[in-house]
Amino acid sequence: MKILKFVAFLFYKRFYNSRSQDIAYTRTICALVVFSYLHLIQILLILNETFWLPKRNGDNNVLVLFKDAMLCAPFFLFFIVFIGKKELQTVKYDQHKIKKGYFFLVLYGILSFTLFAILIYMRKA
């Protein structure tokens, strides 16, 4: 949980220093939800259990978006409950740790999306 809160801090700090300071917390939670949803899809692809995922072949787009929202809702609620806005605003970390954290976060994102692309490619082949 400490790592998750540190990653949330990194996202919050990045979003808070941009022009959209008023929605930095919401953007942080949404970024964490996107990564969590991506990992859920990766796990389902590895286990070949993709019937849980919403499909766009014939379903109404509103229905597909509703199914996506229902899959993301537990992640969203989890992050809102366990990662508070006040906690992100008050926590302090060493500048070296923050720089190192940003590097590993970017590396983690690149590797995660690469794995996702490989899994999709292997599934189609």
Side-chain angles (χ1 to χ4, degrees):
M1 196 66 167
K2 289 172 79 174
I3 294 174
L4 186 61
K5 287 187 179 187
F6 180 64
V7 170
F9 169 79
L10 291 176
F11 275 122
Y12 184 78
K13 183 173 170 29
R14 177 70 179 148
F15 293 141
Y16 189 78
N17 290 336
S18 67
R19 291 183 293 180
S20 58
Q21 293 179 354
D22 51 339
I23 60 169
Y25 178 70
T26 306
R27 290 178 73 182
T28 299
I29 298 298
C30 289
L32 293 172
V33 168
V34 166
F35 270 109
S36 300
Y37 188 64
L38 178 71
H39 291 311
L40 174 68
I41 293 173
Q42 288 173 347
I43 291 168
L44 291 175
L45 284 171
I46 289 171
L47 297 175
N48 201 17
E49 299 286 335
T50 56
F51 63 89
W52 292 99
L53 300 176
K55 295 181 178 50
R56 303 205 190 281
N57 57 355
D59 281 348
N60 185 356
N61 282 339
V62 175
L63 182 62
V64 171
L65 290 175
F66 179 74
K67 289 178 183 177
D68 278 335
M70 289 299 106
L71 283 173
C72 289
F75 294 117
F76 193 79
L77 292 174
F78 174 80
F79 291 130
I80 283 182
V81 168
F82 288 106
I83 299 173
K85 183 176 183 178
K86 295 221 186 274
E87 184 179 358
L88 291 177
Q89 291 172 339
T90 58
V91 72
K92 302 287 184 208
Y93 289 102
D94 180 35
Q95 194 65 27
H96 176 70
K97 185 174 183 176
I98 292 172
K99 286 184 181 183
K100 194 173 170 183
Y102 277 135
F103 172 76
F104 283 116
L105 185 61
V106 169
L107 182 66
Y108 176 73
I110 291 170
L111 292 175
S112 185
F113 279 101
T114 303
L115 175 64
F116 181 66
I118 291 169
L119 288 171
I120 295 244
Y121 177 76
M122 288 175 48
R123 174 113 170 112
K124 292 193 179 213

